[in-house]
Amino acid sequence: MDDRDRHEAGMTVRRQVLGDAHVDRAVAGTDEFTADFQDFITRYAWGEIWTRPGLDRRTRSCVTLAVLATLHHDEELAMHVRAALRNGLTPAEVGEVLLQVGVYAGVPAANRAFKVARETLRQEDQ
């Protein structure tokens, strides 16, 4: 697969996981300074990793939620809570992932993540 194919595959998966509205905003906000980064994440995060057959999207969402919660990346966590719902996780399963974070990454990380996830889930319910 060449870079063009990887970018196309990545954009397809990115749209399926994050939704067209999010991706359209990201693309519209791309400028000369951020263009290389947008291309990079589209080709490698979405076109290389998220397209691999070794894990299904639900599992990839679980891993992503756990890592983002552990690292306190709240904005990305909220985005991936929404993505996890698109990938078939229930709110209860999102909570289970965050409980796991509490045990292995610490209660403060999980506490913060629960706050972000709760607010995101409330917004999704509206």
Side-chain angles (χ1 to χ4, degrees):
M1 182 180 295
D2 67 15
D3 280 348
R4 176 195 257 178
D5 293 338
R6 192 176 296 109
H7 189 276
E8 287 179 23
M11 190 57 77
T12 298
V13 173
R14 190 177 181 189
R15 286 184 177 283
Q16 291 169 344
V17 173
L18 300 179
D20 287 331
H22 174 85
V23 175
D24 289 344
R25 280 191 306 275
V27 169
T30 301
D31 58 21
E32 185 177 334
F33 184 69
T34 61
D36 288 340
F37 180 68
Q38 286 295 319
D39 179 61
F40 170 75
I41 61 174
T42 300
R43 282 186 294 127
Y44 290 99
W46 298 106
E48 188 69 34
I49 300 303
W50 278 82
T51 60
R52 292 178 58 81
L55 296 174
D56 61 23
R57 288 191 188 163
R58 286 175 46 86
T59 304
R60 288 190 192 282
S61 280
C62 290
V63 171
T64 302
L65 291 174
V67 171
L68 292 173
T70 299
L71 296 174
H72 306 283
H73 293 303
D74 296 350
E75 189 174 318
E76 292 280 322
L77 176 60
M79 177 180 72
H80 277 280
V81 167
R82 290 186 291 275
L85 298 175
R86 271 190 212 87
N87 284 337
L89 270 71
T90 65
E93 289 170 322
V94 170
E96 288 297 322
V97 170
L98 300 181
L99 284 171
Q100 194 83 2
V101 167
V103 170
Y104 289 97
V107 170
N111 187 45
R112 184 179 186 110
F114 266 103
K115 180 180 175 185
V116 171
R118 179 178 57 202
E119 181 58 32
T120 303
L121 292 168
R122 283 181 182 162
Q123 291 170 0
E124 289 299 304
D125 284 342
Q126 297 176 1

